[in-house]
């Protein structure tokens, strides 16, 4: 597993690095400057990102939140002080673990495991949500196409659906694709 530490403080970064190496992680890279951070992270292509911000300013936090929104990887953020707004913003941005308090190397492995587990759980939920939204959208398209066929051909709902299903099988397409074609054709005849 390749890990990246984003930390401008060499002392704090060393604590993270030592904790990771003692936990058995050997592929650890450090980014010491946050300028062009996103490009650097893309170039390294890490599996997990650890961000250490001793006393982050609003601008630093916002930059890190932008990274976490764009980069779809587990991200653990370490800060010394925090407030409710920063915690909420980090969760909204997709930070998997937001750790407040003193940084101890013996806690790094546990925090990393938590970060990865939480990221994976959130990713599964996001995938399920996307699938459900897609299925709902397809259902709406199919229902609208059924209504068009019922009106144009004088079919019952069941007959309209059967016609689309049969056409989908004959053309080796999804029924939602056939339904979209019906809607497109109906628009042309308006």
């Amino acid at each position: 597993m390749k890990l990246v530490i984003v930390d401008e403080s060499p002392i704090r970064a060393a604590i993270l690095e030592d904790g990771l190496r003692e936990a058995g992680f050997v592929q650890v890279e450090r980014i010491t400057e946050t300028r062009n951070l996103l490009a650097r992270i893309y170039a390294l292509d890490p599996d997990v990102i650890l961000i250490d911000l001793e006393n982050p300013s609003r601008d630093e936090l916002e930059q890190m939140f932008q990274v976490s929104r764009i980069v779809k990887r587990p991200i653990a953020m370490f800060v010394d002080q925090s407030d409710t707004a920063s915690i909420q913003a980090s969760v909204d941005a997709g930070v998997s673990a937001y750790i407040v308090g003193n940084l101890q190397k013996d806690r790094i492995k546990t925090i990393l495991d938590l970060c990865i587990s939480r990221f994976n759980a959130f990713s599964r939920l996001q995938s399920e949500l996307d699938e459900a939204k897609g299925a709902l959208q397809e259902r709406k398209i199919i229902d609208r196409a059924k209504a068009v066929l019922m009106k144009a051909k004088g079919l019952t709902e069941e007959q309209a659906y059967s016609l689309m299903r049969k056409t989908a099988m004959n053309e080796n397409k999804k029924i939602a694709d056939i339904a979209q074609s019906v809607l497109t054709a109906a628009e042309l005849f308006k």
Side-chain angles (χ1 to χ4, degrees):
M1 184 181 309
K2 186 189 269 187
L3 304 157
V4 166
I5 297 171
V6 178
D7 195 340
E8 293 179 338
S9 164
I11 296 168
R12 292 173 62 88
I15 294 170
L16 281 172
E17 265 187 275
D18 290 346
L20 291 169
R21 294 199 194 283
E22 285 179 16
F25 297 100
V26 291
Q27 288 189 331
V28 179
E29 298 282 338
R30 186 188 321 173
I31 297 175
T32 57
E33 190 177 313
T34 58
R35 199 168 15 130
N36 297 321
L37 181 61
L38 197 54
R40 291 174 181 201
I41 289 174
Y42 276 130
L44 293 171
D45 192 27
D47 296 304
V48 180
I49 301 167
L50 304 167
I51 300 172
D52 186 14
L53 301 170
E54 191 172 0
N55 290 309
S57 68
R58 285 256 181 243
D59 290 342
E60 286 177 312
L61 278 176
E62 185 53 39
Q63 181 185 11
M64 296 307 156
F65 296 158
Q66 286 176 350
V67 167
S68 64
R69 282 184 205 103
I70 295 169
V71 179
K72 302 297 183 201
R73 300 280 192 282
I75 296 177
M77 187 175 290
F78 298 85
V79 296
D80 283 347
Q81 300 172 21
S82 188
D83 56 56
T84 305
S86 296
I87 293 170
Q88 186 60 48
S90 71
V91 170
D92 291 345
V95 172
S96 303
Y98 189 84
I99 313 304
V100 181
N102 59 345
L103 184 60
Q104 299 170 352
K105 69 179 181 178
D106 59 334
R107 295 177 54 209
I108 303 297
K109 171 75 167 100
T110 305
I111 290 169
L112 187 61
D113 290 344
L114 167 76
C115 176
I116 293 168
S117 294
R118 187 169 183 279
F119 176 81
N120 290 336
F122 183 78
S123 292
R124 278 191 303 276
L125 287 173
Q126 189 64 48
S127 293
E128 290 172 10
L129 177 63
D130 292 345
E131 286 176 26
K133 283 181 178 179
L136 181 60
Q137 187 62 32
E138 284 183 358
R139 186 79 245 153
K140 287 179 181 180
I141 290 169
I142 292 168
D143 286 344
R144 287 181 31 225
K146 282 192 301 189
V148 166
L149 289 173
M150 289 165 59
K151 183 177 179 184
K153 294 182 128 282
L155 302 174
T156 65
E157 184 176 358
E158 189 175 311
Q159 290 170 328
Y161 184 79
S162 291
L163 178 60
M164 285 191 298
R165 187 179 68 225
K166 181 181 176 194
T167 304
M169 283 195 235
N170 290 342
E171 294 187 16
N172 198 25
K173 293 184 177 180
K174 291 173 51 176
I175 194 166
D177 295 337
I178 298 301
Q180 184 61 57
S181 297
V182 168
L183 294 175
T184 301
E187 284 295 314
L188 293 173
F189 288 113
K190 281 188 175 181

